[in-house]
Amino acid sequence: MIAGNEFQRHAIAAHVTQRLAGPARAILGFQELLLEQARDLGLTNLETDLERIGVAARQLNGLIDRLIDGKVGFPDVREVEAEARLRHDLRTPLNAIIGYSEMLLEDAGDLHQLKEDLRVMLAAAAELLKQVDAIAGLSRGEAIETLQPRDRTEIDAAELERLLFKAERDAWSDQGGRILVVDDVASNRDLLSRRLRRDGHRVVTADSGLSALARLTEDEFDLILLDILMPDMNGIEILSRLKAENRWRHVPVIMISGLSEVAAVARCIEAGADDYLTKPFNPILLRARINSTLERKRWLDREHRYLQQIEAEKRRADTLIHAILPDQIVARLQGGEEIIADRFEEVSILFADIVGFSPIAARLPPSDLVRRLDRTFSKFDLLTQEHRVEKIKTIGDAYMAACGIPEPSADHADRIVALGKSMLESLRDLASDNDRFRIRIGIHSGPVVAGLIGRHRFVYDVWGETVNIASRLESQGVADRMQISEATKRALHGHWTLEPRCALDLRGIGTVETYLVR
C-alpha cells in the first residue's frame, strides 16, 4: 500500500512503530506478571532472575521509546557506526532477557502457567532480535521504508482515513441534547457552554454541587458535565448522590477536571462516571466524547421505553388470563405444565338459568338485552369472588359455578349455597318491571373431573355425573328458588333452612331427593 498523503504516512508509521515496539511492551508486561506469580507462590529463588529480566526489559523499552521520539543520537560518530552501536545496544538487553528466561524455564518444574508465560516472553524477544535492523532504522526516520512488502498490505491507510472522517461527520450531525454543566469557575462554564451551544446542544449551568442538585430537581437532562474540584461539594460526592437516586441514575456523567492522575480517573469511573476529560479540552475530542455519550443515552432511553411497553403488555396479558382462569391454574401453566387434568371427590356445582328468557329476548332491542345480561352476570361474577367460588362459564343465558376446585374445600356446599342466595337477592333488589330477570338455581355435590382445554382460547371446565345432575336440578327447579340435592344437603355444615320438595326421577341416574333453600 502506497501512502497517499501525510495522514496516511503517519498511519503507516504508527503501525510500524507498534509492530516494532509491541513485543518490547509485552516482555515488560509478562515480566511483571511473572514476578507477581512468583511472589504469590513463595518462589523466592526465581525473583532475582525475574528482576534482572525486568531491568533489561525497561532498558530495552526506554531505548525504543527514545528512538521513536527521535532522541537517540551519537554526536561525533559517523552514521554507519552510530547504527552499529544502536544494534549492539538493542541486542544487549534482548540477550539478557533470553538468557535469564531460558534458565528460569529449566527451573520452573511443573509450574505450567509460569512456563507458558516464559515461552511467550522468549518468543517476543526472539522476534525482536530478528527486527533489530529495522528498529535501528528508526533512528534514520525510515519507518515506512523498513516495512517489508508483505507488511505493507496489512493496513489500508486510505480506508482508515475515509472511515475516520465519515465517523466524525456522522457524529457531528447528530441531534443535540440537554446538558447540565457544573463548574465553579465562571470562565470555564462560559467557554464550555459556548462550545456546546455552537454544536447544537441546549445548555444549563450550575456553579456548585448544591445548585447542580437543585437544577436536577427542576428539569431533566441527557448529560451532565461535572467538575471534580468544587468548594461546597466535590464531584465525586455529587456523582455518588446521582447514582444513588433512581430518577438520576441513568443520566450519563462525564467528569471534567484539571487532574490527569490515573487514580482520579479510576475513582470516577468506579463511582459511576461514563467518561473523564481533562482540562484544557481538545474541542474535537470533547465533541466526540459528548456525541458518543448522548448516542448511548438515546439507545438506553429507547431500551427503557421498550421494556416499559413489554412490562405493560405483560401486565395486561396477566390481567386477562387471571380473569379467564383460576389463579392456581395460571400458576401451573406458567410453571410449564402442558396438560392440566385433576379429579376432585367433593365438589359442589351450581347452575342458574333465566326463566322465560326467549320471550324477553324477543321483546327487547339487542342492545338492551345485552346490557341487562352484562349487568346481571357481572354482578354474579362479583358474588363468586365474594364467596370464593370459581365461575366456570356462561352458556347462553345460564351461569355455571363450582366450589371445591381447583383447591379442595371442606365448606364447598355452604359457600355455593350462600352464593345462590346472594344471586337471588341481587335480582330481587333490581327495579321490578315486566322484563325483570328471574332465575332458577340447581345445586348438586359429588366427584368431578376438572381440567384445561383449548390452545388458543383456554377454558377451565368440569365434567362428570355431578355436573349433569346439577344441570337437571336447575332445569326442573322453581323460579326465584334454589333447589339442592340430598348429597348437597349432607355436605352442608351450616344452619340452613331447607324445605323438602320432591323426589326427581332422573333418566340414567335414578331417584334424587330434592330440597328448596329458604
Side-chain angles (χ1 to χ4, degrees), residues 340-402:
I340 296 178
D342 305 295
R343 181 178 178 83
F344 299 89
E345 297 300 329
E346 292 293 337
V347 175
S348 289
I349 303 293
L350 174 148
F351 276 94
D353 188 70
I354 297 174
V355 179
F357 179 76
S358 296
I360 297 174
R363 287 195 299 274
L364 290 177
S367 58
D368 284 355
L369 179 68
V370 172
R371 191 179 300 112
R372 287 186 182 209
L373 277 174
D374 176 65
R375 187 173 57 195
T376 302
F377 288 163
S378 295
K379 179 63 177 175
F380 290 174
D381 288 347
L382 291 175
L383 292 174
T384 58
Q385 292 178 5
E386 182 181 317
H387 293 283
R388 291 178 292 132
V389 172
E390 290 295 339
K391 171 191 175 182
I392 301 299
K393 57 187 172 184
T394 57
I395 312 160
D397 62 321
Y399 192 92
M400 179 182 178

Side-chain angles (χ1 to χ4, degrees), residues 131-167:
Q131 300 282 346
V132 162
D133 288 343
I135 298 172
L138 288 173
S139 64
R140 302 193 306 271
E142 295 175 346
I144 296 174
E145 286 70 17
T146 58
L147 278 173
Q148 297 298 317
R150 178 177 61 82
D151 299 325
R152 292 170 185 253
T153 62
E154 289 184 358
I155 63 170
D156 186 343
E159 175 65 7
L160 176 64
E161 182 183 27
R162 188 185 70 77
L163 290 174
L164 281 174
F165 281 107
K166 178 178 184 297

Side-chain angles (χ1 to χ4, degrees), residues 145-200:
E145 286 70 17
T146 58
L147 278 173
Q148 297 298 317
R150 178 177 61 82
D151 299 325
R152 292 170 185 253
T153 62
E154 289 184 358
I155 63 170
D156 186 343
E159 175 65 7
L160 176 64
E161 182 183 27
R162 188 185 70 77
L163 290 174
L164 281 174
F165 281 107
K166 178 178 184 297
E168 187 176 336
R169 284 195 299 273
D170 288 348
W172 292 359
S173 64
D174 282 340
Q175 183 183 357
R178 188 167 179 79
I179 301 176
L180 174 63
V181 175
V182 188
D183 197 319
D184 62 318
V185 180
S187 57
N188 288 343
R189 289 197 308 273
D190 294 342
L191 177 61
L192 197 49
S193 300
R194 288 188 61 183
R195 285 196 184 284
L196 295 172
R197 289 190 178 108
R198 285 186 62 187
D199 289 339

Side-chain angles (χ1 to χ4, degrees), residues 126-359:
E127 176 64 23
L128 271 181
L129 264 182
K130 294 178 188 174
Q131 300 282 346
V132 162
D133 288 343
I135 298 172
L138 288 173
S139 64
R140 302 193 306 271
E142 295 175 346
I144 296 174
E145 286 70 17
T146 58
L147 278 173
Q148 297 298 317
R150 178 177 61 82
D151 299 325
R152 292 170 185 253
T153 62
E154 289 184 358
I155 63 170
D156 186 343
E159 175 65 7
L160 176 64
E161 182 183 27
R162 188 185 70 77
L163 290 174
L164 281 174
F165 281 107
K166 178 178 184 297
E168 187 176 336
R169 284 195 299 273
D170 288 348
W172 292 359
S173 64
D174 282 340
Q175 183 183 357
R178 188 167 179 79
I179 301 176
L180 174 63
V181 175
V182 188
D183 197 319
D184 62 318
V185 180
S187 57
N188 288 343
R189 289 197 308 273
D190 294 342
L191 177 61
L192 197 49
S193 300
R194 288 188 61 183
R195 285 196 184 284
L196 295 172
R197 289 190 178 108
R198 285 186 62 187
D199 289 339
H201 302 294
R202 290 161 292 164
V203 182
V204 175
T205 61
D207 59 4
S208 68
L210 292 176
S211 63
L213 294 174
R215 292 282 192 183
L216 283 162
T217 59
E218 297 168 356
D219 208 344
E220 294 184 356
F221 295 93
D222 299 314
L223 173 64
I224 301 170
L225 295 178
L226 181 59
D227 189 20
I228 291 183
L229 300 174
M230 289 186 291
D232 62 341
M233 182 185 291
N234 67 51
I236 299 290
E237 292 173 316
I238 301 171
L239 185 60
S240 301
R241 290 278 298 273
L242 296 176
K243 297 305 171 184
E245 292 270 355
N246 281 332
R247 53 185 168 162
W248 299 328
R249 182 173 299 164
H250 300 294
V251 181
V253 179
I254 296 178
M255 305 302 289
I256 51 176
S257 175
L259 296 173
S260 58
E261 284 77 7
V262 173
V265 178
R267 178 68 189 92
C268 290
I269 299 299
E270 287 172 355
D274 295 78
D275 210 335
Y276 191 102
L277 285 171
T278 53
K279 303 173 184 175
F281 304 113
N282 178 306
I284 296 175
L285 189 59
L286 173 69
R287 184 181 295 123
R289 294 275 184 84
I290 287 176
N291 285 338
S292 171
T293 306
L294 287 174
E295 183 60 21
R296 285 201 301 275
K297 171 71 164 42
R298 292 185 192 107
W299 278 103
L300 286 173
D301 288 346
R302 290 191 198 105
E303 181 181 294
H304 183 61
R305 285 196 295 273
Y306 291 148
L307 287 174
Q308 284 183 319
Q309 290 174 3
I310 291 171
E311 284 296 322
E313 289 298 322
K314 184 176 181 302
R315 286 194 297 272
R316 182 168 172 270
D318 286 346
T319 301
L320 284 172
I321 197 167
H322 279 282
I324 296 170
L325 301 175
D327 293 347
Q328 298 89 336
I329 300 302
V330 174
R332 289 169 67 177
L333 273 177
Q334 292 173 341
E337 280 193 62
E338 294 183 356
I339 298 176
I340 296 178
D342 305 295
R343 181 178 178 83
F344 299 89
E345 297 300 329
E346 292 293 337
V347 175
S348 289
I349 303 293
L350 174 148
F351 276 94
D353 188 70
I354 297 174
V355 179
F357 179 76
S358 296

